[in-house]
Amino acid sequence: MKKITINDLMKWKQEGRKFASVTAYDASFAQLFEQQEVPVLLVGDSLGMVLQGKPDTLPVSVEDIAYHTRCVRAGSPNSLLMADMPFMSYSTPEQACESAAELMRSGANMVKLEGGSWLAETITKLTERAVPVCAHLGLTPQSVNIFGGYKVQGRDSDHAEQMVKDAILLKNAGAQIILLECVPASLAERITKAVEVPVIGIGAGNATDGQILVMHDMFGISANYMPRFSKNYLAETGDMRTAVTKYREDVEAGVFPGQEHTFE
Ligand code: KIV
Ligand code: NA
């Protein structure tokens, strides 16, 4: 696979070409994903749950993400590698710059932050200082204690309008990717059309430019439970390489996610 950059993703969006991405936490899987030509990888703070066995993502540290980012970069030199900024590592723009520096030095190409309009100033500061940003909206798992659980977001029309506004605001602040988690498919479609930058979805229907899955969900091996929007590609294919390729091809063909993986 050739080196993937944000320019490739922008071009694919303009061409209407869908792309797959997956989380990765170590060199061996990162290499396998690169060999199966998955263009975008994420070192997600989901590692708190799938690697550390914690009930949520809040205990994850910048050092945890930095360590796994170094591992993934070692296995996948050419993917566009995003790294999650953990809970409370970006509560001020200054702190965000320090945390992001650590992740970029570890090999990330972009950092991902959870939140709405309050992040605009932070996103501008990061991008001005050469740190590309992905803004994660919708079900933002670091806010589980505010939401009172993992629930689909943007179902009522006020909340939906707010999310469209936030996506545009954060894109204007400098965000180069928007990621939407667990939102109704029609809302994700609106946001995908409203912003010029690529939109990646998870539990957000199949109208987004890209899709992402937690790798443990794609293989059906998550320690806790299987979210309704995920699919166990290992069960269907019988081996990991074929599972990854099938997932990528299903995303590119617009076949995954299907109705059964989608909220309305
Ligand atoms: O941490 C993670 O794995 C994520 C994805 C689910 C988008 O943020
Ligand atoms: Na995350």
Side-chain angles (χ1 to χ4, degrees):
M1 188 172 77
K2 73 165 187 75
K3 180 87 191 150
I4 306 296
T5 71
I6 185 63
N7 299 339
D8 294 304
L9 272 54
M10 286 293 297
K11 186 161 148 269
W12 296 342
K13 178 174 181 123
Q14 283 153 15
E15 295 170 354
R17 183 173 148 193
K18 293 183 185 295
F19 60 90
S21 60
V22 71
T23 66
Y25 315 97
D26 69 75
S28 297
F29 277 112
Q31 184 182 67
L32 188 154
F33 297 148
E34 178 157 328
Q35 286 168 346
Q36 309 314 120
E37 298 192 53
V38 178
V40 179
L41 299 180
L42 168 70
V43 178
D45 61 356
S46 53
L47 69 83
M49 296 160 98
V50 296
L51 300 193
Q52 299 173 343
K54 304 272 171 58
D56 54 45
T57 60
L58 276 61
V60 175
S61 68
V62 173
E63 197 31 64
D64 289 337
I65 301 285
Y67 169 78
H68 290 283
T69 299
R70 291 192 294 272
C71 296
V72 169
R73 183 86 289 173
S76 172
N78 294 318
S79 60
L80 189 148
L81 179 53
M82 297 197 285
D84 260 346
M85 297 268 270
F87 176 66
M88 279 296 154
S89 69
Y90 52 100
S91 57
T92 64
E94 293 68 31
Q95 189 196 17
C97 288
E98 275 178 40
S99 305
E102 185 74 22
L103 302 183
M104 296 298 283
R105 287 189 189 111
S106 300
N109 301 121
M110 181 177 283
V111 299
K112 177 162 78 60
L113 291 75
E114 298 183 4
S117 55
W118 71 273
L119 277 177
E121 186 193 348
T122 299
I123 291 175
T124 300
K125 288 234 157 78
L126 285 168
T127 49
E128 283 172 350
R129 285 155 185 75
V131 177
V133 175
C134 169
H136 182 158
L137 296 169
L139 172 51
T140 46
Q142 292 169 17
S143 301
V144 61
N145 293 296
I146 296 281
F147 295 149
Y150 298 102
K151 297 176 182 151
V152 177
Q153 300 293 309
R155 275 203 151 129
D156 71 81
S157 63
D158 284 357
H159 193 184
E161 291 309 315
Q162 190 58 52
M163 213 184 293
V164 176
K165 282 193 193 133
D166 285 355
I168 294 169
L169 181 81
L170 297 183
K171 177 251 153 199
N172 288 338
Q176 289 182 290
I177 296 181
I178 303 288
L179 187 143
L180 299 175
E181 178 165 351
C182 289
V183 303
S186 55
L187 174 58
E189 182 169 7
R190 255 184 86 190
I191 292 173
T192 303
K193 288 181 175 151
V195 297
E196 295 82 2
V197 297
V199 175
I200 299 178
I202 175 165
N206 70 3
T208 55
D209 305 299
Q211 297 289 333
I212 188 162
L213 284 181
V214 171
M215 59 162 278
H216 292 64
D217 294 340
M218 177 179 62
F219 292 137
I221 56 165
S222 291
N224 297 319
Y225 90 117
M226 179 75 163
R228 135 120 196 259
F229 53 78
S230 279
K231 179 167 173 185
N232 179 349
Y233 274 96
L234 185 56
E236 165 173 321
T237 55
D239 83 281
M240 287 185 174
R241 281 179 196 281
T242 316
V244 173
T245 299
K246 181 79 169 77
Y247 162 61
R248 178 176 59 71
E249 289 174 351
D250 276 4
V251 170
E252 289 169 0
V255 172
F256 178 83
Q259 269 315 314
E260 68 277 27
H261 309 113
T262 297
F263 304 108
E264 233 354 299

